[in-house]
Amino acid sequence: MKRKLLSAVLSMAMAASLMVGCGSAAPAQTQTDNSAAQTETKTETKTETPAQTESAGGGKVGVAMPTKDLQRWNQDGANMEEQLKAAGYEVDLQYASNDIATQVSQIENMISQGAQVLVIASIDGDSLGTVLAQAKEAGISVIAYDRLIMNSDAVSYYATFDNYMVGTKQGEYIRDQLDLDNAAGPFNIEIFTGDPGDNNARSFYGGAMDVLNKYIDEGKLVVQSGQKDFDNVATANWSTENAQSRMDAIISANYANGTKLDAVLCSNDSTALGVTNSLEANYTGDWPIITGQDCDVANVKNMIAGKQSMSIFKDTRTLAAKTVEMVDAIMKGTDAPVNDTSTYNNGTGVIPSYLCEPVFADVNNYKELLIDSGYYKESDLQ
């Protein structure tokens, strides 16, 4: 009864949070210090939505996405293209198949073909320095999209969700579902985060572990595999197959003898899908809590079926809308809207950022968040 009441309260809170959308974000952490105790100052700039703003129009925008292999990047690219075209811009949208050289070549072509603004979701945040130096020399503004581009002074702005908060919400969900502040434990947990070349993976991991480390240190949470440091739990390319293979090995070594697995912290839905596939094939105990992120169709179906507990919902339509506002301001020669001027240092200085607030979906509120909002049709999830 206590957990049902908690879920109901959380559902109401998350629905209210979604209505706020990309408003003033809760505190996030720096990329070099994920301590929850750190404070920062945020500056919010109020702006109108693209539909309310007279667009500069007529310019060309290059949009570089990392891959079509994950559902979310297809949605990001499609939303960006649709909204930029509606605002009057010519759009060059490219996907790089998770190949760094391909993404560099695509950006070079965007520069040579007259793009005035570049919106880039990088494959590897440290690998674009040379090509972005060309963009800076050509006077082209660069917006890092969702993933911070590191060690380049060509980056003008950063548009993303509050990535540290994503991890915090995942860690808090596990804490609350296991009632770690009251239950005796111990509970067994395993940890899966994302690609080590993606700066966001460390933010997700840091946010979650800042919640969970206390209970690991107390012995209330136990990582039976012993794999808890970032380098040991990172998943190359956020690959479902890589996560599944690692989970196969963890189950074989630690849980094949009937030891109960209580929770798996997964930073996103592709890793959660790999973990779920492995559990279905190899694990015979009670089903663990599994977190995720992105509300991919396959994972929402798993959530409805009781195979995944929650997924962080990041409405890509909202992030695209904010990015279009940034593009429009740049084209007009004005400052882009930001609400964070202290958190995200890419190695050359703090990048002015707009942070959208994520919420979590579970079986209690997914209809309100995903279907009633028009993000999915009910038939998509059947």
Side-chain angles (χ1 to χ4, degrees):
M1 179 63 71
K2 184 175 180 181
R3 290 188 184 175
K4 288 182 180 178
L5 178 59
L6 176 61
S7 294
V9 173
L10 286 174
S11 297
M12 293 171 63
M14 291 307 101
S17 179
L18 181 65
M19 293 175 67
V20 175
C22 270
S24 179
Q29 304 297 311
T30 65
Q31 303 307 299
T32 55
D33 182 0
N34 282 323
S35 169
Q38 181 174 348
T39 59
E40 63 255 348
T41 303
K42 305 234 175 136
T43 302
E44 180 168 359
T45 304
K46 285 193 171 183
T47 60
E48 298 173 325
T49 64
Q52 297 170 317
T53 305
E54 183 183 352
S55 171
K60 186 172 185 179
V61 182
V63 179
M65 292 283 119
T67 181
K68 285 188 172 183
D69 291 344
L70 297 183
Q71 177 188 314
R72 71 144 304 181
W73 295 120
N74 292 288
Q75 291 172 320
D76 280 277
N79 289 330
M80 188 83 58
E81 183 175 40
E82 179 183 2
Q83 294 190 36
L84 283 169
K85 285 183 175 179
Y89 297 107
E90 180 184 353
V91 182
D92 182 4
L93 171 63
Q94 300 290 331
Y95 292 85
S97 300
N98 262 336
D99 183 74
I100 295 169
T102 297
Q103 187 166 63
V104 169
S105 177
Q106 289 172 344
I107 294 170
E108 286 176 339
N109 289 336
M110 292 173 187
I111 293 169
S112 65
Q113 292 172 15
Q116 294 163 271
V117 177
L118 296 174
V119 179
I120 302 172
S122 63
I123 297 169
D124 185 326
D126 279 305
S127 301
L128 299 177
T130 300
V131 70
L132 292 191
Q134 298 174 27
K136 183 177 181 180
E137 185 176 353
I140 300 170
S141 295
V142 175
I143 300 173
Y145 182 88
D146 196 69
R147 296 173 171 177
L148 184 60
I149 298 169
M150 303 301 292
N151 301 313
S152 171
D153 62 2
V155 180
S156 306
Y157 296 101
Y158 182 33
T160 190
F161 284 86
D162 190 329
N163 297 313
Y164 181 84
M165 186 188 290
V166 168
T168 299
K169 288 181 181 291
Q170 292 170 335
E172 288 174 345
Y173 188 90
I174 291 173
R175 177 198 68 194
D176 295 343
Q177 292 299 306
L178 292 178
D179 195 20
L180 292 177
D181 288 327
N182 299 299
F187 301 98
N188 294 319
I189 187 171
E190 298 298 336
I191 302 165
F192 287 73
T193 191
D195 189 90
D198 181 352
N199 195 61
N200 288 351
R202 292 185 183 274
S203 293
F204 302 145
Y205 171 83
M209 296 307 287
D210 280 349
V211 175
L212 299 177
N213 269 328
K214 167 189 173 183
Y215 305 102
I216 293 174
D217 292 343
E218 291 174 355
K220 193 171 283 191
L221 280 178
V222 178
V223 184
Q224 290 288 343
S225 69
Q227 300 169 18
K228 64 178 183 175
D229 295 336
F230 179 85
D231 290 343
N232 293 324
V233 302
T235 307
N237 297 320
W238 298 91
S239 164
T240 295
E241 293 73 21
N242 290 343
Q244 182 171 344
S245 176
R246 179 170 162 251
M247 191 66 196
D248 287 346
I250 288 174
I251 293 173
S252 176
N254 302 280
Y255 299 96
N257 61 357
T259 299
K260 182 181 178 184
L261 176 61
D262 297 287
V264 186
L265 170 67
C266 296
S267 288
N268 85 324
D269 279 352
S270 59
T271 55
L273 189 60
V275 166
T276 300
N277 292 343
S278 177
L279 287 168
E280 288 182 314
N282 303 295
Y283 180 69
T284 58
D286 293 337
W287 204 259
I289 295 164
I290 301 175
T291 65
Q293 174 185 185
D294 294 328
C295 286
D296 288 348
V297 168
N299 297 77
V300 178
K301 289 180 178 180
N302 277 347
M303 197 159 57
I304 295 168
K307 297 176 183 177
Q308 182 170 323
S309 307
M310 63 87 85
S311 183
I312 298 294
F313 177 47
K314 303 192 304 187
D315 194 333
T316 56
R317 299 167 299 183
T318 307
L319 184 57
K322 285 298 171 185
T323 306
V324 171
E325 285 187 44
M326 286 181 159
V327 169
D328 210 47
I330 291 168
M331 290 291 199
K332 291 177 177 177
T334 61
D335 291 335
V338 298
N339 64 1
D340 184 298
T341 57
S342 64
T343 300
Y344 289 92
N345 189 320
N346 78 339
T348 65
V350 174
I351 306 301
S353 305
Y354 202 105
L355 308 183
C356 295
E357 184 172 342
V359 298
F360 79 75
D362 65 6
V363 72
N364 298 297
N365 68 356
Y366 79 91
K367 287 186 178 179
E368 185 174 7
L369 293 180
L370 303 176
I371 296 173
D372 294 350
S373 72
Y375 195 77
Y376 291 135
K377 299 177 198 169
E378 194 155 12
S379 58
D380 295 332
L381 305 178
Q382 294 173 348

